[in-house]
Amino acid sequence: MMRRLLAVLFLMLLATPLHAAQCGGDFGSFLATMAREAQGKGVSRGVVDQAFAGVSQDQGVLSFDRRQRGTFRKSFEEYAATRVTGGRISGGKARLQRNAALLQRVEQRFGVPGNLLVAIWGLETDFGTGDMGKLPVIRVVATLAHDCRRTDLFQGELLAALAILQRGDLPLRDLIGAYAGEIGQTQFLPSSYIKYGVDFDGNGHVDLRHSVPDVLASTANLLKTNGWQPGGDYHQGSRNFEVMREWNRAEVYRKTIGLFADRLR
């Protein structure tokens, strides 16, 4: 119960308007302002000091951010052919069998079918065996928050990443991810980690890097919370296809999820 109350408190605090730190300018001054902001939202000074120790701007992250727009320029057929491969389909079917009881429990609670969850899992990180990212999340989101292109968004992500540390879900050494701060086997942004993360294995922590039950349940919870209709279609034109916009706005990506899910059904 206490953990649930803390999660609700963090959500309320993160939802309040930011006293936005000034983007650009001196990076150290920016971090100092964000440190005060985080402490005002319940993150301890010790957590902030540990997280910000030695943090510097990452020019590689900024370069990637500038060039990654337009990732989904391929047609659906071209894109899907590179993502829904024979190896992924066989791997997905193996995961469906291996996690059948778990997926049934997840579907009973959240209403999202196992084949769709496994499709997302496979596309994001090859079922947790592929690239989950190797960059320190604090450094990534601090860099993007300081940059003026999307400062409001990533100031919120920076606060959420600090909240993950404050909750004890991941230690700082495991708070690593991709070029926009995505974390874990289905690549949650820190704010989604806080908002939708579920401790489904019951160990007291939401661990989206190592716990398959937490990964699958949290992915299903994201969809359910945004209006997923149990038993409904998930292809283009359906309500569930629109719900998946919360996962990825790119239509070609959502169509690829549906195709992969069909191949696993």
Side-chain angles (χ1 to χ4, degrees), residues 4-177:
R4 189 176 304 162
L5 290 173
L6 286 172
V8 171
L9 177 60
F10 273 123
L11 282 173
M12 292 172 62
L13 290 170
L14 289 172
T16 57
L18 295 177
H19 300 294
Q22 182 65 47
C23 65
D26 181 70
F27 188 66
S29 298
F30 173 82
L31 286 184
T33 301
M34 291 304 303
R36 292 191 293 272
E37 184 76 28
Q39 290 176 67
K41 294 182 181 298
V43 180
S44 72
R45 179 171 179 175
V47 166
V48 173
D49 288 348
Q50 181 192 29
F52 283 177
V55 170
S56 59
Q57 290 176 281
D58 190 326
Q59 293 301 318
V61 167
L62 292 177
S63 296
F64 183 86
D65 182 64
R66 296 297 187 266
R67 68 175 182 266
Q68 59 88 33
R69 283 172 280 178
T71 300
F72 298 104
R73 288 176 178 169
K74 293 181 179 179
S75 70
F76 164 61
E77 290 77 14
E78 291 171 331
Y79 182 76
T82 66
R83 304 305 301 275
V84 184
T85 61
R88 276 211 176 117
I89 292 168
S90 61
K93 288 180 177 179
R95 266 71 177 189
L96 279 170
Q97 285 189 320
R98 186 182 309 164
N99 299 286
L102 168 62
L103 288 164
Q104 184 177 29
R105 288 194 295 118
V106 171
E107 183 169 3
Q108 287 173 345
R109 178 165 169 184
F110 300 102
V112 183
N115 62 313
L116 187 106
L117 294 174
V118 171
I120 292 172
W121 189 21
L123 288 173
E124 292 292 343
T125 65
D126 278 318
F127 319 106
T129 68
D131 185 11
M132 288 190 279
K134 300 176 177 64
L135 302 174
V137 168
I138 296 295
R139 187 178 77 200
V140 169
V141 293
T143 295
L144 293 170
H146 178 259
D147 183 49
C148 291
R149 191 168 83 83
R150 293 182 289 174
T151 184
D152 288 344
L153 169 65
F154 280 101
Q155 285 189 39
E157 296 301 335
L158 179 54
L159 293 171
L162 293 169
I164 291 169
L165 296 173
Q166 179 68 33
R167 293 198 323 187
D169 287 329
L170 290 174
L172 185 60
R173 67 178 180 275
D174 280 348
L175 195 64
I176 57 177

Side-chain angles (χ1 to χ4, degrees), residues 131-262:
D131 185 11
M132 288 190 279
K134 300 176 177 64
L135 302 174
V137 168
I138 296 295
R139 187 178 77 200
V140 169
V141 293
T143 295
L144 293 170
H146 178 259
D147 183 49
C148 291
R149 191 168 83 83
R150 293 182 289 174
T151 184
D152 288 344
L153 169 65
F154 280 101
Q155 285 189 39
E157 296 301 335
L158 179 54
L159 293 171
L162 293 169
I164 291 169
L165 296 173
Q166 179 68 33
R167 293 198 323 187
D169 287 329
L170 290 174
L172 185 60
R173 67 178 180 275
D174 280 348
L175 195 64
I176 57 177
Y179 277 94
E182 307 96 324
I183 303 165
Q185 296 188 31
T186 51
Q187 297 286 273
F188 274 39
L189 285 173
S191 60
S192 294
Y193 201 120
I194 291 292
K195 187 174 183 179
Y196 303 115
V198 177
D199 173 21
F200 208 65
D201 63 13
N203 72 349
H205 302 286
V206 178
D207 185 348
L208 302 187
R209 284 187 55 82
H210 308 101
S211 171
V212 171
D214 291 4
V215 167
L216 296 175
S218 299
T219 304
N221 187 41
L222 182 153
L223 294 171
K224 177 187 176 183
T225 302
N226 285 282
W228 184 270
Q229 291 184 317
D233 186 25
Y234 46 73
H235 296 96
Q236 190 174 20
S238 69
R239 176 177 173 179
N240 286 340
F241 187 80
E242 292 307 308
V243 168
M244 286 194 291
R245 278 179 58 85
E246 182 65 21
W247 191 268
N248 194 303
R249 294 184 179 183
E251 187 175 280
V252 67
Y253 192 83
R254 286 178 283 146
K255 289 173 69 175
T256 302
I257 292 174
L259 174 65
F260 195 2
D262 285 349

